[in-house]
């Protein structure tokens, strides 16, 4: 396997985080997901609460215009700058699995990079979100759509890639085939590659 950086991008509720965590355990490498928020806060000088609330949100051109006129770097740009620094530091440490954070784009020039995208049918995702996160989709029927739009908009704002476009990944997996099956497939690719 050598020194491999594995990135996992995912649709909300598809199980990408669980896949990444299981994969990291199997490979015996570091796993990074939610703890990146703490690292981004430290690097950017912002509070964890601010970073968490802006971590995957795109902002309007109007908001950017107001900040630019005042000579202020918008919060999303500060966080993305910190994201570049943090992700490169994590990748420099050695093999790891990184979920989200535009890691597939930020680390794209590394030779040892694997990029995977996890998706699933809407019914599968709704069931997972209700079971795993306890979200009441009857109360928030547009939750998945909104989360996907936030990720897509943020990703397209900060990268030159289209979120979920198969051409940007080494492989895309439908997690409805089973979380462990997807982990098996990625593990096989990384170990044989």
């Amino acid at each position: 396997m050598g020194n491999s950086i594995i990135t996992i991008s995912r649709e909300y509720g598809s199980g990408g985080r669980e896949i990444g965590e299981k994969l990291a355990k199997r490979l015996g490498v570091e796993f990074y997901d939610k703890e990146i928020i703490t690292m981004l806060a430290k690097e950017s000088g912002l509070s964890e609460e601010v970073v968490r609330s802006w971590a995957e949100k795109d902002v309007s051109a109007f908001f950017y215009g107001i900040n630019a006129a005042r000579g202020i770097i918008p919060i999303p740009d500060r966080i993305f700058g910190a994201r570049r620094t943090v992700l490169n530091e994590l990748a420099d440490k050695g093999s790891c699995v990184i979920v989200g954070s535009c890691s597939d784009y930020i680390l794209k020039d590394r030779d040892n990079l694997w990029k995977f995208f996890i998706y699933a049918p809407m019914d599968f995702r709704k069931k997972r979100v209700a079971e795993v996160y306890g979200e009441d989709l009857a109360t928030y029927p547009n939750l998945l759509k909104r989360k996907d739009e936030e990720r897509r908009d943020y990703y397209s704002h900060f990268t030159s890639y289209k979120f979920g476009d198969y051409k940007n990944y080494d492989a895309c997996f439908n997690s409805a085939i089973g979380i462990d099956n997807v982990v098996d497939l990625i593990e096989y690719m990384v170990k044989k590659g």
Side-chain angles (χ1 to χ4, degrees):
M1 179 178 112
N3 181 23
S4 296
I5 310 305
I6 301 158
T7 64
I8 304 213
S9 301
R10 76 277 184 233
E11 289 180 331
Y12 183 71
S14 64
R17 181 185 186 291
E18 183 179 350
I19 289 166
E21 192 169 27
K22 286 183 172 190
L23 180 66
K25 283 181 183 173
R26 282 198 199 171
L27 297 174
V29 301
E30 294 295 323
F31 172 72
Y32 301 105
D33 182 27
K34 294 180 181 181
E35 53 280 335
I36 291 175
I37 295 291
T38 303
M39 297 173 198
L40 292 175
K42 185 176 179 182
E43 180 66 30
S44 68
L46 299 166
S47 71
E48 284 188 40
E49 184 177 307
V50 168
V51 171
R52 192 173 292 107
S53 68
W54 284 94
E56 287 187 339
K57 291 202 171 58
D58 185 20
V59 293
S60 69
F62 177 75
F63 178 81
Y64 271 96
I66 289 173
N67 282 294
R70 295 179 177 169
I72 299 170
I73 298 172
I75 290 172
D77 286 13
R78 286 177 60 189
I79 294 170
F80 195 78
R83 194 179 300 275
R84 282 187 182 281
T85 301
V86 166
L87 292 179
N88 277 293
E89 287 173 357
L90 295 176
D92 287 342
K93 286 182 180 180
S95 293
C96 61
V97 175
I98 302 171
V99 174
S101 291
C102 298
S103 54
D104 61 306
Y105 178 81
I106 291 171
L107 303 173
K108 70 182 184 302
D109 295 326
R110 291 179 178 260
D111 293 333
N112 58 344
L113 182 68
W114 287 93
K115 302 177 291 184
F116 299 102
F117 186 79
I118 310 299
Y119 66 96
M122 189 62 77
D123 289 343
F124 177 87
R125 295 167 55 207
K126 285 180 179 178
K127 185 177 178 186
R128 271 192 61 80
V129 166
E131 290 173 359
V132 176
Y133 301 112
E135 296 285 357
D136 179 8
L137 295 176
T139 306
Y140 304 105
N142 294 321
L143 177 67
L144 270 69
K145 182 180 177 188
R146 182 176 52 81
K147 290 282 197 179
D148 284 344
E149 285 175 358
E150 285 175 358
R151 285 182 179 171
R152 183 191 67 237
D153 293 347
Y154 183 85
Y155 190 82
S156 66
H157 178 84
F158 285 104
T159 76
S160 59
Y161 291 177
K162 181 180 175 188
F163 185 74
D165 186 342
Y166 72 92
K167 291 177 271 187
N168 300 324
Y169 305 96
D170 295 303
C172 300
F173 295 102
N174 180 344
S175 58
I177 67 168
I179 298 295
D180 289 329
N181 291 332
V182 174
V183 175
D184 290 343
L185 292 166
I186 295 174
E187 179 183 19
Y188 177 82
M189 288 180 69
V190 172
K191 285 183 173 178
K192 293 293 182 184

